[in-house]
Amino acid sequence: QVQLVESGGGLVQTGGSLRLSCAASGRTISTAFMGWFRQAPGKEREFVAALSWSGANSYYADSVKGRFAISREDAKNTVYLQMNSLKPEDTAVYYCAARVSRMPFMYFEGEKYGYWGQGTQVTVSS
């Protein structure tokens, strides 16, 4: 029902910036709860950022708050993750996720998101 494709990852130096994109098809993301998660080698998947169904509310992990920003562009059916002041510890595979259900849930619970992209690698060098 929903297909997600991430792009924009790459290699950057400490302090640099990247903007990840999550292009959706099959359904408008303006009615979906969107999230970004990441997984680093040897670590479990962790929540990064999320945007509510209406787009009015955004949520961030403490580790990225103030540096990352989630947004969406409805005309392109795309969600973005702007990443600034990148640190080596931000190195991970970043995944876009979508939840279409309107049932209440905790935004940081990855298992509640029914659709996932393939991931895009972000590497931050020291």
Side-chain angles (χ1 to χ4, degrees), residues 40-94:
K43 296 183 178 180
E44 294 187 353
R45 183 181 63 195
E46 66 174 341
F47 166 77
V48 176
L51 190 67
S52 65
W53 295 279
S54 67
N57 301 108
S58 58
Y59 309 90
Y60 299 93
D62 289 341
S63 60
V64 306
K65 193 171 185 178
R67 299 189 297 120
F68 291 10
I70 186 171
S71 63
R72 76 186 195 203
E73 187 172 357
D74 291 347
K76 294 184 177 180
N77 210 31
T78 299
V79 173
Y80 303 99
L81 183 68
Q82 179 66 48
M83 306 184 295
N84 300 320
S85 301
L86 284 163
K87 306 174 181 179
E89 50 263 45
D90 293 319
T91 295
V93 176
Y94 284 71

Side-chain angles (χ1 to χ4, degrees), residues 1-114:
Q1 186 175 27
V2 180
Q3 294 80 47
L4 305 173
V5 179
E6 302 98 330
S7 62
L11 174 65
V12 298
Q13 296 180 344
T14 297
S17 298
L18 281 175
R19 188 178 74 162
L20 305 184
S21 298
C22 174
S25 61
R27 186 188 182 96
T28 174
I29 59 171
S30 64
T31 60
F33 201 108
M34 305 298 298
W36 284 98
F37 294 78
R38 67 187 183 187
Q39 187 166 24
K43 296 183 178 180
E44 294 187 353
R45 183 181 63 195
E46 66 174 341
F47 166 77
V48 176
L51 190 67
S52 65
W53 295 279
S54 67
N57 301 108
S58 58
Y59 309 90
Y60 299 93
D62 289 341
S63 60
V64 306
K65 193 171 185 178
R67 299 189 297 120
F68 291 10
I70 186 171
S71 63
R72 76 186 195 203
E73 187 172 357
D74 291 347
K76 294 184 177 180
N77 210 31
T78 299
V79 173
Y80 303 99
L81 183 68
Q82 179 66 48
M83 306 184 295
N84 300 320
S85 301
L86 284 163
K87 306 174 181 179
E89 50 263 45
D90 293 319
T91 295
V93 176
Y94 284 71
Y95 298 92
C96 176
R99 175 179 169 86
V100 298
S101 172
R102 284 281 186 155
M103 295 291 288
F105 80 115
M106 296 294 100
Y107 58 84
F108 51 81
E109 294 181 310
E111 65 270 22
K112 298 297 185 179
Y113 293 78

